[in-house]
């Protein structure tokens, strides 16, 4: 990895990884993709361990709990979308916008 970091990028038009901004956006993309995967696994694990009546009585007992449950279920998709946006921003970063 030291060679990868210290060499000039072969195709700067594809991914200018010699810029700090590209590193930051690609790292944020990876973090959000990993968070999306972990949250998705947690949702599957939690709902696999629960029965239908407990979910109905506890997780949807109030409006706030219902909203939190729906956000938790939808969070993997939201986080994956944010990850793709960060990766696109990391690819589109040009030297004139370098940090």
């Amino acid at each position: 990895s030291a060679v990868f970091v210290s060499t000039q990028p072969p195709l700067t038009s594809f991914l200018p990884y010699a810029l700090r901004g590209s590193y930051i956006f690609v790292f944020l993309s990876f973090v959000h993709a990993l968070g999306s995967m972990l949250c998705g696994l947690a949702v599957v694990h939690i709902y696999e361990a629960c029965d239908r009546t407990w979910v109905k009585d506890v997780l949807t007992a109030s409006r706030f709990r219902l909203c939190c449950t729906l956000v938790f279920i939808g969070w993997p998709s939201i986080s994956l979308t944010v990850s793709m946006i960060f990766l696109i921003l990391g690819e589109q970063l040009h030297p004139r916008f370098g940090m």
Side-chain angles (χ1 to χ4, degrees):
S1 64
V3 173
F4 178 71
V5 171
S6 62
T7 59
Q8 291 295 323
L11 298 172
T12 56
S13 61
F14 176 66
L15 181 62
Y17 64 84
L19 299 174
R20 188 182 338 163
S22 287
Y23 276 123
I24 292 170
F25 282 125
V26 171
F27 178 73
L28 289 174
S29 172
F30 174 73
V31 167
H32 272 281
L34 188 64
S36 171
M37 185 183 70
L38 291 175
C39 188
L41 287 173
V43 167
V44 168
H45 181 52
I46 289 169
Y47 272 98
E48 199 173 77
C50 301
D51 61 343
R52 219 179 278 164
T53 56
W54 185 84
V55 170
K56 181 178 156 270
D57 294 339
V58 176
L59 292 181
T60 60
S62 67
R63 187 177 299 217
F64 178 72
R65 285 186 181 184
L66 176 64
C67 289
C68 288
T69 302
L70 291 175
V71 167
F72 187 61
I73 290 171
W75 188 255
S77 299
I78 295 167
S79 187
L80 197 59
T81 303
V82 170
S83 171
M84 286 188 276
I85 290 170
F86 279 149
L87 188 60
I88 290 169
L89 287 174
E91 275 187 14
Q92 298 299 322
L93 198 66
H94 293 292
R96 64 177 179 208
F97 298 125
M99 294 181 184

